[in-house]
Amino acid sequence: MNSGMSLIVKTVTRLVAGFITLFGIYIVLYGHVSPGGGFAGGAILAAGLILVLLAFGREATLRMMSHDGALAWDCGGALAFVLIAALGYLAGGFFVNFLSHGEPGQLNSAGMIPLLNAAIGAKVGAGLFGVFLALAVFRPGRHREDPS
Amino acid sequence: MTTWLPLFVILPLAAGFLTPLAGRRPGESGGAARGLALLVGAVLLAGSIALLGSEPAVYWIGGWPGADRPSVGLSLVCDGLTQMLLVTVNAIAFCALLYSWSYIQRYTGRALYYCLFLLMLAGMNAVVLAGDLFNVFVFMEVAVICSYALVAFGVERAELEAAFKYVVLGSVSSLFVLLGIALIYNLTGQLNMALVAERLGALGTERGPAVWLAAGCFIMGFGLKAAMVPFHAWLPDAHPSAPAPISAMLSGVVIKAVGVYVVCRILFNVFGLNTPAGALYANVLIVLGTLSMVIGVFLAIGQWDFKRLLAYHSISQMGYVFLAVGVGAAVLATDGPRPIAALAIFGGLFHLVNHATFKSLLFLCSGSAEYAAGTRDLHELGGLKYTMPTTAGCCRVAALSIAGVPPFNGFWSKLIIVVATAMAGYWILAALAAFVSFMTLLSFLKVQRYALEGPPPERIRAIHETPVPMRLAMIGLATACVLLGVLVPLHRARLIDPATRTLTEPRLYVERFRPPDQPHMGTTWAAAVKELQP
């Protein structure tokens, strides 16, 4: 298979892509206790996928995450955010944080904020990747009426 | 009722993200997406009508300001002006969704169309409900970014060019708005509009020049969104390029919800008019309103593209609204007779609602003509009253309304604006408003003559009436045009008067929607920095 970049790039990508994804998930999950959060972590997740796209080319990447898959994760993440926020109505109102707040500083704390972070992470990761995919798939074509 | 205020944002937002998931399978006709969108539109319209006439209410998101919590919460505010805008926005959105049911079947990517439509609706509902400046900015961006994409929905060369122009100018104006908000935040340390108003009132004459700069930024930023002359250049390209239901939304409600509404809210309720600056704000509104009114109509008269002609008339009609509101503000700022101010503002807000109905209807009619005949050039149209009687009838109702012919709604609001302007002593402007109304009549006589009357040209002799949902949407709006005009005494007490009161008695906004006091409040950023310094 000749698509994508050189063997060196592919090998390095194979080594680091997993770690980048893992780091993205870490940033998302620790968003409520340390700097970072859904948007930052999602951007890192998208960066991991974009690295694979650059190194291995479009075909290989689309097998991991198709355009429809990106759209589904994107809309699903946003929908999950709205629904989690609306779940607050169970406890009295929109965005009411009704889950156990736990011990401050621990991973299991802050009620539904980590869930919201995860939803944002999915949305931003898939959304940014979808934008990049659209740019990679798009081929500038000549306009029909263009005489040149 | 207050508990469910966030639903105006939650429902369209959730449905907007659901539609691409429902409609992404290949071969899907978009049936699930359009059904869901229409259902959401109907629920929101019913909710906004149920809200009419209710007491002003404030909803604290997440239940934040309580006895034991600092008042940093975000609020949704629902007073008379908000209720009026909610009804207008959701009614037009429902009609546009009904119209889209058949109209948009000619396009691809229908699920994405409904996604963008619903997100735009969520953005507008949130802008009129928002109780703090920053959420106004965020949701304004949500609404207008969706509208950028919708203008380009046809992805032909002209549409992309119009959308690009709209994106560039829209982004510049958004940056001005953000700068204005930053200046206000620096000055007062608050973003909640009631608290900002209170702090600015407390500063009194020591406000300094920053408020002037902020006011300029807001007038430029939101004025561009409302297409006031001289910030109007994007509108005649952007509004005609969109699909017809989106043109109806853009001209009917988007320029009002993210433009006129916010300008009124900020100048009256946040900055306040009983200050030295009040008279200046009012005069700026009057000058820009008059310019829009006159220049818009003169640019419209020479147009032969049906939708482009309508777009120029939007600029002109928004000029009426700004003129009326500006006259009201000028009377209030100079401690003039309050009934005259109330009458002027009443006329402006009434015209805003009326313009939403008849301009949306006109855009839907032009869309029907284009749907059937494949052209919107007035030279190539003709005889539609024989081939498409429903469309022609609705178009006639809307044209008579916008031209200010009794007993349709446009006549009453223009009459009130002209009378109030004259009573306030602006004789020349009143005469100008009447003259512009005459020019509007001329311009729409041209539309009648070339599109509806005469023998149908050979090429479009065989066209027939549009599908039922499109006709239903147009008939609904035409009925609204008639009823809003005939039933003024019945609806004004519930629809327009409460909205007028929020602008004529701006101090009530602070009293009603101010969060409860907290110990750390009242510290401005500057004061906090001073405390930290040794």
Side-chain angles (χ1 to χ4, degrees), chain A residues 68-69 71-76 78-79 82-83 86 89 92-97 123 143-146, chain B residues 3-7 10 13-18 20-21 24 26 59-63 112 115 156-157:
Chain A
D68 275 356
L71 184 71
W73 276 98
D74 182 32
C75 291
L79 191 61
V82 177
L83 292 183
Y89 268 112
F94 191 42
F95 267 112
V96 169
N97 194 342
K123 166 155 186 75
H143 195 270
R144 281 198 302 275
E145 296 157 22
D146 206 344
Chain B
T3 323
W4 302 106
L5 271 185
L7 279 187
I10 299 174
L13 212 55
F17 289 125
L18 209 57
L21 296 178
R24 76 199 166 88
Y59 182 91
W60 292 97
I61 291 173
L112 291 177
C115 172
E156 288 293 324
R157 171 177 275 190

Side-chain angles (χ1 to χ4, degrees), chain A residues 99-122:
Chain A
L99 296 176
S100 158
H101 292 197
E103 188 76 20
Q106 299 297 308
L107 180 58
N108 180 17
S109 63
M112 63 188 196
I113 293 177
L115 296 179
L116 295 175
N117 267 334
I120 300 209

